[in-house]
Amino acid sequence: MNDATGALLQDVWLVPMDGPDAAPLGDVRRGDLRVRDGRIVALGALVPEPGERVIAGRGRHALPGFVQGHVHATQTLFRGLADDLPLLDWLRTRIWPLEHAHDAASTRVSAELTFAELLAGGTTTAQTMESVRHAEVVAEEAQRSGMTVITGNCLMDEADPHLPPGMATSAAEALAITDELRRAFHGHGRISIAVSPRFVLSVSEGLARDAAAFAQQHDLRVHTHAAEHPAELAAVRARFHRDYVQVLHGQGLLGARTALAHCVHTSEAERDLLAATRSSVLHCPSTNLKLGSGIAPLADYRRRGIAVGIGADGAPCNNRLSMLTELRQAALLQALDAGPGQWPAAAALAAATRGGAAALGLTDVGQLAPGKRADVVLFDLQDPRLGVIDAQRPASALVYAASERHVDAVMLGGEFVVEGGRVLGSDWHELRRAAAAALPGVLRRAGLAR
Ligand SMILES: [Zn+2]
């Protein structure tokens, strides 16, 4: 559809996500959406122009594609292989050995599966953190998917007795890999590269400072984990004698280009620091539950004006990559943590779209508006299991009741990539076969053969 005449998506419920914070969905109305050269040029009651391709929207709800702030594509192959463990054991006994055992081919299978699964669930933009090696394979697959993807190799140089031998690199090598990725992919198509220290405990003080300087020098985003699990916090305090977010600040890693996954346990001082530095938070509710980490104080972050995005995190700690699952979990947890109504369904939907875009510093996704990229999800909400919905108020159905089966179609830049719930150009049967072929070698190399 990237032609001069473009296309007109007719007769949809437009959910622009451009309203004020108290009513973020904006003016939900039945109308049409015009696309030219991959971008939205108009919304409303539109008349087809000569030569324009007309697409029947059939009364679907059209939302901006979801933005997932925190995903590990490299881990998707490891779904179901690391259940029922707390964070540090989960990392040490399963995830690090498995990541280190990846080769380029198994990483590619994991990445292909990730992007197909994300698209099938309506996610059109993602920030991913990859392993120490083979991140270029993920960047290639991200490029092939057509999604908007921020990605990077995780930085790990700290000698840790729990790491598989040879997994950590030198500080220089870690950033040299990031620099190679930057030269090969950053700004090419829809891909950008983020400087991605894994977490405080796996990065030396010197590398952390060099990473901050490198990000500053090349105007790259910073993506890391922070303040996730009580045992991790205790280890950080024991080593640094300061709170987690304060350590990151001291290393120069906070700022308007920085997004921190989790931030489950933060003090008043740390929250002040997040707000003052305009760092953003990436909330991963299913992971926080599954690893027994806790409940992130989103309603409080929202009151403080801290940008919050949502992500599924890794398949081995979720075990889905579904934004709809995370939306439901996030809203339910805030009802428990802050009280019903303090972070309502509409706020969750905002975090899944424009809020996620803001948290990642992306200005051309997350809303349906002229000039934005035509990344659109079409939901079929005509299902009695969703209730008798008021079409102008779809937040409740989407956040609390809908599932992937209600994703009818997805467009990237105005091109359909999912139709009738099917990911075009991907074959689940083939992906399953490739995953089943790749996994035994990884398990063997990891010393975890079943
Ligand atoms: Zn993570």
Side-chain angles (χ1 to χ4, degrees):
M1 206 184 292
N2 291 326
D3 51 358
T5 47
L8 186 69
L9 176 62
Q10 260 186 337
D11 189 26
V12 289
W13 284 98
L14 298 160
V15 186
M17 301 305 304
D18 64 352
D21 278 350
L25 275 63
D27 180 16
V28 179
R29 63 202 188 280
R30 200 152 180 160
D32 317 307
L33 181 145
R34 173 163 286 134
V35 178
R36 290 282 183 283
D37 298 322
R39 300 212 170 243
I40 297 167
V41 293
L43 304 100
L46 306 172
V47 176
E49 292 180 354
E52 190 171 53
R53 188 154 73 93
V54 173
I55 302 161
R58 296 173 291 153
R60 304 293 192 235
H61 276 75
L63 275 85
F66 290 140
V67 179
Q68 289 212 31
H70 185 67
V71 176
H72 300 265
T74 193
Q75 293 176 7
T76 303
L77 190 62
F78 312 146
R79 184 183 341 238
L81 296 179
D83 294 334
D84 310 320
L85 294 165
L87 175 68
L88 293 177
D89 293 343
W90 179 85
L91 282 170
R92 290 164 176 168
T93 67
R94 305 293 165 82
I95 298 308
W96 288 340
L98 286 166
E99 281 192 12
H100 188 53
H102 253 318
D103 59 18
S106 61
T107 303
R108 191 174 302 282
V109 173
S110 199
E112 272 185 279
L113 190 50
T114 305
F115 296 119
E117 185 173 356
L118 291 175
L119 284 172
T123 294
T124 55
T125 295
Q127 175 170 256
T128 84
M129 180 186 290
E130 300 314 327
S131 196
V132 176
R133 296 175 182 83
H134 309 304
E136 70 287 355
V137 174
V138 176
E140 284 166 13
E141 289 304 315
Q143 218 159 28
R144 222 163 56 84
S145 76
M147 291 174 55
T148 300
V149 177
I150 303 171
T151 188
N153 59 307
C154 74
L155 311 179
M156 300 179 80
D157 72 325
E158 195 63 44
D160 180 330
H162 301 288
L163 271 182
M167 185 171 186
T169 64
S170 69
E173 192 187 344
L175 279 177
I177 295 171
T178 306
D179 198 34
E180 270 174 46
L181 289 169
R182 182 185 70 80
R183 289 168 194 275
F185 297 100
H186 188 67
H188 295 199
R190 303 292 301 169
I191 308 300
S192 47
I193 298 300
V195 175
S196 310
R198 186 151 196 153
F199 73 144
V200 157
L201 295 175
S202 64
V203 178
S204 69
E205 190 78 15
L207 176 53
R209 289 178 187 283
D210 289 351
F214 185 84
Q216 174 93 33
Q217 182 190 348
H218 296 289
D219 196 22
L220 301 179
R221 293 198 57 84
V222 174
H223 178 202
T224 189
H225 296 95
E228 180 175 358
H229 189 278
E232 174 204 18
L233 264 69
V236 168
R237 267 198 212 98
R239 188 186 298 180
F240 295 92
H241 311 291
R242 274 182 302 164
D243 283 334
Y244 211 117
V245 174
Q246 290 167 327
V247 174
L248 291 171
H249 186 49
Q251 293 172 335
L253 284 166
L254 297 189
R257 289 192 314 263
T258 296
L260 307 175
H262 305 303
C263 296
V264 175
H265 304 282
T266 47
S267 63
E268 280 288 314
E270 289 178 288
R271 294 177 198 187
D272 288 347
L273 209 44
L274 291 173
T277 58
R278 295 167 53 224
S279 304
S280 53
V281 169
L282 307 170
H283 179 48
C284 307
S286 294
T287 294
N288 296 157
L289 288 172
K290 188 159 184 268
L291 300 180
S293 298
I295 306 174
L298 293 200
D300 186 61
Y301 290 156
R302 183 166 174 248
R303 271 194 296 277
R304 293 167 186 262
I306 297 168
V308 173
I310 295 177
D313 205 347
C317 56
N318 187 308
N319 297 355
R320 301 178 182 168
L321 300 180
S322 158
M323 180 55 102
L324 288 170
T325 295
E326 298 314 291
L327 275 181
R328 180 179 151 85
Q329 298 280 30
L332 295 179
L333 283 174
Q334 290 313 301
L336 179 65
D337 193 52
Q342 295 303 304
W343 201 75
L349 211 50
T353 53
R354 71 187 203 190
L360 299 181
L362 297 169
T363 55
D364 69 346
V365 298
Q367 291 184 332
L368 301 183
K372 303 285 182 189
R373 179 151 157 99
D375 292 351
V376 182
V377 191
L378 297 177
F379 283 95
D380 179 2
L381 302 182
Q382 306 300 311
D383 179 343
R385 288 167 291 184
L386 299 179
V388 182
I389 74 161
D390 174 348
Q392 287 184 286
R393 293 177 178 77
S396 168
L398 287 164
V399 172
Y400 291 122
S403 68
E404 259 66 37
R405 67 168 171 257
H406 300 106
V407 175
D408 178 49
V410 180
M411 288 175 155
L412 288 180
E415 302 272 6
F416 277 112
V417 291
V418 174
E419 264 185 319
R422 203 170 64 82
V423 184
L424 308 179
S426 268
D427 175 343
W428 294 121
H429 180 74
E430 177 54 31
L431 282 171
R432 184 182 175 282
R433 193 203 58 74
L439 186 59
V442 179
L443 288 173
R444 198 172 50 248
R445 291 191 292 275
L448 293 168
R450 294 187 277 196

